[in-house]
Amino acid sequence: MNTLELLATTGSSYLLIFAAEIGDKSQLVCMALAARYRASPVMLGSALAFLLLNTLAVVFGVAIASLIPQAVLSAIVAILFLVFG
């Protein structure tokens, strides 16, 4: 993977997550906590929580993807997309 491809993948992942997370309940909680407490502990706590949750999501996602055949996984994702969409 070259540098340009890495930057494009990282950038698109960031933008997708950023767009998906705008206005979710964790952002609202952070705003409420920031209104009451100092910004640095709220920022540190939310960043650590985000890091932990996304690390767990990636680890479990890779584990599940290695156990389920690609065709079955694609079908499950398509069905979930239709149900939640």
Side-chain angles (χ1 to χ4, degrees):
M1 180 181 286
N2 62 31
T3 304
L4 187 58
E5 187 178 339
L6 178 65
L7 287 174
T9 304
T10 302
S12 61
S13 298
Y14 173 81
L15 289 174
L16 181 64
I17 292 172
F18 181 81
E21 294 295 324
I22 290 176
D24 74 344
K25 60 184 172 236
S26 60
Q27 184 182 22
L28 298 175
V29 168
C30 286
M31 286 189 293
L33 288 171
R36 182 170 180 170
Y37 301 105
R38 292 181 309 129
S40 54
V42 173
M43 190 71 157
L44 179 63
S46 63
L48 289 174
F50 186 76
L51 178 70
L52 175 65
L53 291 175
N54 284 298
T55 300
L56 289 173
V58 169
V59 168
F60 284 111
V62 168
I64 290 170
S66 67
L67 296 174
I68 300 174
Q70 183 66 36
V72 174
L73 188 60
S74 295
I76 291 170
V77 169
I79 292 167
L80 288 174
F81 182 76
L82 287 172
V83 169
F84 291 120

